[in-house]
């Protein structure tokens, strides 16, 4: 399959509102939050959740005139699905990478030191170095679920309640884990294995069901 | 299926309890330009969407270039040009970005032809789609699928909103495209004068049902209007005579039939003496049928009047 630049651009534009709103908000939060960030930070958790929903919505409006136009240009359904996934990755990286760089470079530590004389500034980077990976993992688990929801909702006989339940369940499990914090090592291994299985299944099912969505 | 460029078998689509398309059987041979004629809400758009695979049929199947509409492979989908009534690019997209998008999808896309197409209406590629008039939008979208070198064209009211000269120009280009590439086109319209410009065949659809699909020449020559007294039972029609529709009122029944060459005498022989038969033009027949008439249930409808 070839990468179609014009198709990517057209789809990326659907994600622009989510990026334009999300990126400055998240940058400000990361720069100005005084307490050290950890993977269970609820505000960043909510941000990843909201951003994922916005991206899935932007790329899943199969009943809009613009999508109907896109789906009648002569691209195959599989080609459109794979470009949609590629655009999802690019849209996430557009927001995630600047946030990660703020922590890793370490711009956040410098800002904390200069603006707030934060006592944590010297250790912030070392302490938070793994946190961006947790956010990325959040996207990797949530977005396949949400894409699947929109694909199921565009099926000929509609429905899709099962997909909504699955996505809701995923969000609840992640939220619960964030609340309860540290759990035994074996539990995490099991949870990650399950998350990978769910995400891969969602992506595979999305590919198959995307072939039969109704576009109008 | 038998290899028509466009084919439908028993194609049916319900929206809730409303049946938008009712068991449509249609085969269009390669190289034919077919005008899909019918009043608003007749099911033309639904038929085109089903053929394009955008909707799942409630019953039946359809094929384009031999491939099932709902599973068009990459090699086939790039050879189909679809211009829907409601499918529109976003307003922020420039004409150039739409050209690039189409060119990436269609290996046979002819940029030079597209440039000429735009120049013909004084449109510059840098203009935003949303800033164009309704007619200009149609022009751009038609240009995209004609320049894409498509072998099958599905077009829904392509000339709506175009001024008369653009309308004529578009249809000339469509005819040229079809004859040069031996392309097949199904063009929905409810403007009868359009048909004269483009069509080899006419498919008339009304209330979701395909009333007639025949060569334009044949329809011009073969459609007859039969007037019968209201109390006269409808005769048993000859096998080759295709009953297209009927209208009944207190004094009179009107029946429209398609009477192939050589069956005129056979038709005359089954009609009562009070019956009068006259040839009618396509427009007269279409207006009478779609405004007042009942489409035929079968080629030999029941003897009772339906309305």
């Amino acid at each position: 399959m070839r990468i179609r630049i014009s198709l990517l651009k057209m789809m990326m534009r659907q994600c622009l509102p989510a990026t334009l709103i999300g990126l400055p908000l998240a940058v400000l939060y990361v720069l100005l939050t005084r307490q050290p960030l950890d993977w269970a930070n609820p505000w960043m958790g909510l941000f990843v959740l909201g951003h994922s929903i916005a991206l899935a919505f932007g790329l899943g409006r199969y009943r809009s005139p613009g999508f109907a136009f896109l789906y009648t240009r002569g691209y195959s359904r599989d080609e459109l699905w794979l470009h949609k996934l590629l655009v999802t990755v690019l849209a996430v990286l557009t927001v995630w990478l600047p946030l990660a760089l703020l922590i890793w470079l370490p711009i956040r530590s410098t800002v904390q030191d200069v603006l707030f004389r934060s006592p944590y500034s010297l250790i912030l980077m070392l302490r938070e170095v793994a946190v961006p990976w947790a956010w990325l993992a959040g996207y990797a688990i949530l977005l396949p679920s949400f894409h699947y929801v929109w694909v199921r909702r565009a099926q000929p006989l509609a429905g899709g309640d099962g997909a909504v339940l699955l996505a809701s369940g995923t969000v609840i499990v992640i939220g619960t884990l964030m609340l309860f914090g540290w759990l035994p090592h074996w539990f995490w291994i099991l949870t990650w294995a399950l998350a990978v299985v769910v995400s891969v299944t969602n992506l595979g099912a999305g590919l198959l069901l995307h072939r039969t969505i109704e576009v109008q | 299926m038998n290899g028509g460029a466009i084919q439908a078998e028993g194609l049916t689509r319900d929206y809730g309890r409303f049946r938008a398309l009712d068991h449509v059987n249609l085969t269009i041979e390669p190289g034919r330009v077919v005008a899909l004629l019918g009043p608003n809400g007749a099911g033309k758009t639904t038929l085109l969407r089903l053929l394009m695979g955008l909707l799942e049929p409630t019953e039946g199947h359809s094929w384009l270039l031999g491939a099932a509409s709902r599973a068009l492979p990459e090699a086939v989908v790039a050879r189909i040009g679809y211009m829907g009534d409601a499918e529109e690019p976003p307003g922020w997209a420039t004409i150039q970005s739409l050209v690039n998008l189409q060119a990436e999808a269609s290996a046979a896309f002819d940029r030079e032809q597209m440039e000429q197409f735009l120049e013909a209406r004084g449109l510059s590629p840098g203009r935003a789609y949303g800033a164009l008039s309704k007619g200009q939008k149609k022009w751009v979208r038609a240009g995209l699928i004609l320049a894409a070198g498509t072998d099958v064209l599905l077009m829904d009211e392509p000339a709506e909103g175009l001024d008369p000269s653009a309308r004529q120009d578009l249809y000339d280009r469509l005819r040229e495209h079809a004859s040069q590439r031996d392309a097949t086109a199904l063009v929905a319209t409810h403007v009868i004068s359009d048909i004269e410009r483009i069509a080899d065949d006419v498919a008339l659809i009304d209330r979701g049902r395909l009333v007639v699909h025949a060569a334009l020449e044949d329809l011009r020559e073969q459609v007859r209007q039969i007037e019968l007294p209201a109390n006269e039972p409808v005769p048993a029609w000859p096998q080759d005579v295709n009953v297209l529709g009927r209208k009944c009122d207190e004094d009179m029944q009107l029946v429209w039939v398609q009477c192939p060459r050589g069956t005129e005498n056979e038709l005359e022989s089954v009609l009562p003496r009070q019956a009068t038969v006259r040839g009618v033009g396509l427009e007269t027949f279409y207006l009478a049928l779609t405004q007042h008439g009942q489409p035929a249930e079968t080629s030999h409808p029941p003897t009772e009047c339906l309305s």
Side-chain angles (χ1 to χ4, degrees):
Chain A
M1 187 197 73
R2 282 175 46 211
I3 304 285
R4 317 283 192 164
I5 300 297
S6 296
L7 181 57
L8 278 183
K9 280 186 190 168
M10 195 68 87
M11 285 185 161
M12 276 298 278
R13 184 63 164 72
Q14 309 292 335
C15 305
L16 196 60
T19 306
L20 286 180
I21 295 169
L23 183 59
L25 280 179
V27 164
L28 285 176
Y29 182 78
V30 167
L31 283 180
L32 302 179
T33 300
R34 291 188 175 194
Q35 293 299 313
L37 297 170
D38 63 31
W39 71 273
N41 180 293
W43 293 111
M44 282 310 292
L46 281 175
F47 173 78
V48 170
L49 173 65
H51 190 215
S52 298
I53 290 173
L55 291 180
F57 173 74
L59 291 168
R61 289 181 298 146
Y62 301 115
R63 305 281 161 96
S64 69
F67 266 75
F69 177 79
L70 209 55
Y71 275 65
T72 52
R73 291 308 89 201
Y75 297 105
S76 70
R77 290 287 175 99
D78 286 358
E79 209 169 13
L80 288 160
W81 174 252
L82 292 170
H83 277 78
K84 173 174 161 156
L85 294 189
L86 192 52
V87 166
T88 304
V89 170
L90 291 174
V92 167
L93 288 181
T94 305
V95 172
W96 175 83
L97 197 58
L99 300 182
L101 290 176
L102 289 179
I103 290 173
W104 292 339
L105 281 181
I107 299 169
R108 171 170 151 77
S109 301
T110 311
V111 169
Q112 289 291 320
D113 184 30
V114 171
L115 283 188
F116 306 117
R117 298 283 172 208
S118 167
Y120 300 114
S121 61
L122 290 176
I123 58 158
L124 269 183
M125 197 272 274
L126 287 176
R127 184 169 166 168
E128 295 175 344
V129 70
V131 171
W133 296 112
W135 298 335
L136 194 60
Y139 280 115
I141 295 167
L142 292 176
L143 272 163
S145 261
F146 294 155
H147 278 327
Y148 181 64
V149 168
W150 263 267
V151 166
R152 284 288 286 119
R153 289 170 66 89
Q155 290 301 304
L157 297 173
D161 293 346
V164 174
L165 276 177
L166 179 67
S168 307
T170 306
V171 171
I172 290 168
V173 168
I174 293 174
T176 309
L177 290 176
M178 288 169 73
L179 278 179
F180 286 95
W182 303 109
L183 293 160
H185 191 61
W186 64 265
F187 184 86
W188 282 114
I189 293 173
L190 194 67
T191 304
W192 278 115
L194 192 62
V196 169
V197 169
V198 169
S199 292
V200 170
T201 307
N202 276 326
L203 289 175
L207 172 69
L208 294 177
L209 289 178
H210 182 261
R211 292 173 185 164
T212 56
I213 57 170
E214 288 197 329
V215 181
Q216 53 182 319
Chain B
M1 58 150 304
N2 68 6
I6 299 172
Q7 192 174 5
E9 273 182 18
L11 204 57
T12 303
R13 171 69 190 206
D14 296 339
Y15 291 103
R17 297 176 68 180
F18 174 68
R19 178 150 288 186
L21 206 65
D22 193 358
H23 294 93
V24 166
N25 295 307
L26 179 69
T27 300
I28 302 175
E29 298 301 329
R32 304 295 287 180
V33 176
V34 180
L36 181 62
L37 188 64
N40 291 327
K44 304 187 295 290
T45 299
T46 300
L47 174 59
L48 291 176
R49 285 180 175 164
L50 285 165
L51 288 170
M52 187 62 204
L54 298 177
L55 298 178
E56 175 82 11
T58 307
E59 284 179 48
H61 301 279
S62 62
W63 298 266
L64 294 177
L65 297 170
S69 295
R70 288 289 280 162
L72 292 173
E74 209 168 321
V76 173
V77 77
R79 294 166 58 199
I80 297 162
Y82 179 86
M83 181 180 169
D85 191 31
E87 293 76 9
E88 290 224 56
W92 47 259
T94 62
I95 295 175
Q96 186 62 55
S97 69
L98 301 178
V99 170
N100 294 340
L101 184 75
Q102 189 68 62
E104 278 186 348
S106 318
F109 190 82
D110 185 341
R111 284 184 182 271
E112 201 175 319
Q113 186 187 341
M114 186 68 203
E115 277 169 26
Q116 288 168 2
F117 204 87
L118 294 174
E119 278 170 15
R121 296 289 132 197
L123 293 168
S124 72
R127 288 186 67 181
Y129 183 81
L132 303 177
S133 71
K134 186 178 180 183
Q136 288 172 325
K137 286 176 178 174
K138 289 270 184 178
W139 185 260
V140 169
R141 287 164 57 206
L144 289 174
I145 60 169
L146 290 176
T150 42
D151 295 320
V152 168
L153 291 155
L154 302 171
M155 303 173 94
D156 196 354
E157 308 283 1
E160 192 183 28
L162 292 178
D163 62 63
S165 102
R167 197 178 187 94
Q168 175 131 22
D169 194 2
L170 175 62
Y171 283 139
D172 288 347
R173 287 168 193 263
L174 173 59
R175 280 272 16 153
E176 194 184 332
H177 177 89
S179 57
Q180 280 179 354
R181 294 190 61 90
D182 202 25
T184 312
L186 182 58
V187 183
T189 178
H190 52 205
V191 182
I192 294 179
S193 58
D194 287 353
I195 293 170
E196 308 285 337
R197 292 198 181 113
I198 53 168
D200 300 311
D201 302 336
V202 173
L204 175 60
I205 192 166
D206 187 34
R207 283 165 269 197
R209 300 170 68 181
L210 187 67
V211 179
V212 64
H213 173 212
L216 178 60
E217 269 319 299
D218 290 349
L219 278 182
R220 278 193 189 125
E221 291 174 11
Q222 297 173 4
V223 174
R224 303 277 189 280
Q225 178 175 288
I226 300 165
E227 289 180 22
L228 294 165
N231 54 2
E232 187 72 35
V234 175
W237 303 103
Q239 190 67 32
D240 294 330
V241 170
N242 182 23
V243 179
L244 302 173
R246 290 178 296 156
K247 174 196 167 190
C248 301
D249 60 30
E250 286 177 2
D251 306 321
M252 186 174 58
Q253 335 176 27
L254 291 175
V255 184
W256 294 278
V257 297
Q258 186 187 355
C259 182
R261 286 180 203 94
T263 58
E264 295 88 349
N265 291 340
E266 216 180 330
L267 176 66
E268 295 281 353
S269 70
V270 301
L271 292 174
R273 278 193 313 171
Q274 304 93 315
T276 57
V277 181
R278 65 186 180 96
V280 289
L282 183 63
E283 184 161 8
T284 308
F285 159 64
Y286 167 71
L287 290 175
L289 190 68
T290 55
Q291 285 176 2
H292 309 290
Q294 295 280 354
E297 291 281 336
T298 66
S299 61
H300 296 92
T303 52
E304 291 84 22
C305 208
L306 293 172
S307 60

